Amino acid sequence: MYKLAVFDIDGTLTVKGNEIPESTLMAIKKMKENGIECLIATGRERENIEEILSITGIKNYIACNGQYVKYKNEIIYRYTYPENVLEEIRRICKNKDYCYGFSNGKGIYLSDIEKMRKEKVHHMLDSIKLIKNLEGEVENIFLFAKDGGRYFKPLEKNYELGPWGNGMFDLLKIGRSKAVGIEEIARRIGIGKERIISFGDGLNDLEMTKYAGLGVAMGNAKAELKKVADHITDTASNDGIYKACKKFGLI
């Protein structure tokens, strides 16, 4: 029996912005009643998942693709970028006409939001929390580089680019992922990966889909994710989560 159900947000839990199908909310409610813990694992920053947590009633989460992990009100892991990395990103973006976003856990500072909106890089730009001045430590970085970001190579010793939109990338610390965060929480619960089911749709869900005992890809998932998934369900908008939960006896 599965004891932990893990959900990506965009394209998995939600169909647009923060809109979650009623069938998905029903599935989450029934899983909780059946003693199954629910966990969110997202590339979003923690300040941009508050509404999702409220709507679903899920309290535990992995944000920033594994760089922020919270379980039962305890921060298990939190990564912050050193100042020299921030300076290098500012320098590269200025010289190559790239754009960047820095998140401090309260909002996101964007270097050129008008350019990013003009390029229509991602629909989430219209719903994220923005700040005009950056204060405090930076927990997440995303980059906009239409050429694939080849000039970020000086950072590749410690970081990798995780693509997620039209020329958009997360700058991820090597060794961190959603899967690593899930494993850390699974150890706290005292379960093996065979008792974990995950749901995802994007390239940043590859590791967790392969890690989970049952990795489910949404019908609207990227082809690469469907190749490694144990099961492909229906789309997020067509009750995909509910159907998979029903099929595998979670509800």
Side-chain angles (χ1 to χ4, degrees):
M1 179 65 178
Y2 298 105
K3 296 298 293 181
L4 178 65
V6 186
F7 305 94
D8 168 55
I9 293 180
D10 299 292
T12 302
L13 275 181
T14 65
V15 293
K16 183 181 180 182
N18 289 338
E19 181 185 337
I20 303 176
E22 283 299 320
S23 65
T24 298
L25 294 174
M26 188 184 303
I28 291 171
K29 182 175 183 292
K30 289 186 176 181
M31 278 187 279
K32 290 179 180 178
E33 291 172 354
N34 291 338
I36 299 170
E37 287 208 52
C38 294
L39 171 72
I40 282 174
T42 180
R44 289 195 195 188
E45 302 76 19
R46 59 190 172 105
E47 66 268 26
N48 288 310
I49 65 172
E50 293 171 357
E51 185 177 355
I52 298 296
L53 296 174
S54 176
I55 294 170
T56 60
I58 296 174
K59 300 183 183 300
N60 304 313
Y61 62 88
I62 295 163
C64 307
N65 288 307
Q67 297 187 159
Y68 191 97
V69 181
K70 190 172 184 179
Y71 181 69
K72 293 190 181 299
N73 294 318
E74 178 188 354
I75 299 171
I76 294 176
Y77 182 87
R78 176 178 181 256
Y79 179 75
T80 59
Y81 295 82
E83 185 60 36
N84 67 304
V85 171
L86 305 184
E87 286 300 321
E88 181 71 0
I89 289 169
R90 292 187 184 104
R91 182 188 67 79
I92 294 171
C93 289
K94 181 178 180 180
N95 291 339
K96 300 303 176 183
D97 199 29
Y98 293 163
C99 301
Y100 62 84
F102 291 166
S103 164
N104 63 0
K106 298 179 180 178
I108 297 174
Y109 173 82
L110 297 178
S111 62
D112 193 341
I113 188 170
E114 294 307 319
K115 178 180 178 179
M116 296 171 81
R117 281 180 172 152
K118 183 179 178 181
E119 296 285 351
K120 297 180 180 179
V121 298
H122 200 275
H123 66 83
M124 285 303 297
L125 286 180
D126 294 322
S127 59
I128 59 178
K129 291 185 177 180
L130 299 176
I131 53 176
K132 292 183 178 180
N133 298 297
L134 182 70
E135 297 179 352
E137 297 174 314
V138 173
E139 297 179 352
N140 197 41
I141 294 174
F142 61 82
L143 307 163
F144 173 57
K146 292 184 73 174
D147 64 1
R150 65 182 186 273
Y151 292 102
F152 289 116
K153 283 194 175 294
L155 300 171
E156 288 184 354
K157 181 178 179 181
N158 297 306
Y159 301 94
E160 58 186 345
L161 295 180
W164 57 271
N166 178 27
M168 296 293 292
F169 303 86
D170 286 316
L171 186 70
L172 305 172
K173 179 174 171 56
I174 291 175
R176 293 304 301 182
S177 68
K178 293 182 182 183
V180 173
I182 294 167
E183 185 177 18
E184 289 167 341
I185 288 177
R187 285 201 297 267
R188 295 295 178 101
I189 299 172
I191 61 171
K193 61 182 180 179
E194 71 280 355
R195 306 195 79 181
I196 301 171
I197 181 171
S198 71
F199 298 83
D201 74 300
L203 298 179
N204 63 347
D205 298 318
L206 281 166
E207 291 89 350
M208 79 169 186
T209 302
K210 289 187 278 189
Y211 171 78
L214 180 63
V216 178
M218 306 304 292
N220 49 279
K222 296 287 188 182
E224 296 93 328
L225 190 72
K226 289 180 178 179
K227 287 181 181 178
V228 303
D230 300 303
H231 175 70
I232 301 171
T233 189
D234 211 329
T235 62
S237 60
N238 203 32
D239 306 328
I241 287 179
Y242 186 92
K243 290 173 180 177
C245 290
K246 196 75 174 174
K247 178 179 177 65
F248 294 106
L250 281 79
I251 58 177

